[in-house]
């Protein structure tokens, strides 16, 4: 299966990525078929050279059946080469569990009652 993904280049703490078409079984920075663009995350978002893509070649590879990675799909959607993917729902692991949420709601309710009584007293 062909993928359109990024390979990391650049020095330590100075990342630079090539956007390549590669076999999905090859390593991240290993063998690839064709280089179709670049991504420089150190440039500001508005900079023209932050993401460069050869639109004709990417369109060809998408037509052949290459699947872009999530990040590359986002870049291609910004370049209007494909429609944007749906965002996956975020996990809820960082939220408190059920009993803790109940305690927070109870505390918020008690605080609201305290404000009402203070407002009525004044």
């Amino acid at each position: 299966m062909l993928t359109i993904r990024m390979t990391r280049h650049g020095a330590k703490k100075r990342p630079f990525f090539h956007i390549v078409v590669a076999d999905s079984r090859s390593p991240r920075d290993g063998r690839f078929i064709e280089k179709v663009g670049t991504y420089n995350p150190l440039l500001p978002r508005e900079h023209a050279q932050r993401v460069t893509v050869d639109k004709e070649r990417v369109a060809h590879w998408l037509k052949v059946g290459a699947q872009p990675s999530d990040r590359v799909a986002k870049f291609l959607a910004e370049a209007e080469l494909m429609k944007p993917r749906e965002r996956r729902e975020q996990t809820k692991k960082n939220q408190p569990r059920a009993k803790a949420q109940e305690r927070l709601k109870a505390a918020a309710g008690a605080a609201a009652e305290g404000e009402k009584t203070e407002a009525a007293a004044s």
Side-chain angles (χ1 to χ4, degrees):
M1 175 180 197
L2 294 174
T3 60
I4 303 175
R5 63 184 183 202
M6 296 191 293
T7 62
R8 191 180 195 282
H9 292 71
K12 181 178 179 181
K13 305 215 182 210
R14 306 274 305 163
F16 184 84
F17 297 92
H18 290 261
I19 300 172
V20 298
V21 178
D23 190 321
S24 61
R25 296 170 291 184
S26 62
R28 180 193 74 179
D29 297 335
R31 190 173 66 192
F32 61 89
I33 298 168
E34 183 179 357
K35 180 182 147 193
V36 294
T38 61
Y39 169 56
N40 187 352
L42 299 178
L43 294 175
R45 289 187 190 271
E46 309 82 36
H47 200 280
Q49 295 297 313
R50 182 176 167 100
V51 178
T52 61
V53 178
D54 184 354
K55 293 183 179 185
E56 293 176 6
R57 295 307 297 162
V58 170
H60 164 76
W61 286 111
L62 289 173
K63 192 172 162 184
V64 169
Q67 296 294 316
S69 66
D70 289 338
R71 178 58 58 179
V72 172
K74 187 175 177 181
F75 294 152
L76 298 181
E78 289 173 7
E80 299 176 356
L81 291 170
M82 61 183 295
K83 63 180 182 171
R85 289 186 176 168
E86 293 181 20
R87 291 191 61 182
R88 292 189 217 145
E89 188 173 329
Q90 294 292 319
T91 62
K92 296 181 174 69
K93 289 187 175 185
N94 64 340
Q95 295 178 352
R97 301 288 184 244
K99 286 187 178 181
Q101 284 184 356
E102 290 174 12
R103 285 193 296 268
L104 290 171
K105 285 181 184 177
E113 288 292 325
E115 289 176 6
K116 286 182 183 178
T117 56
E118 287 178 15
S122 54

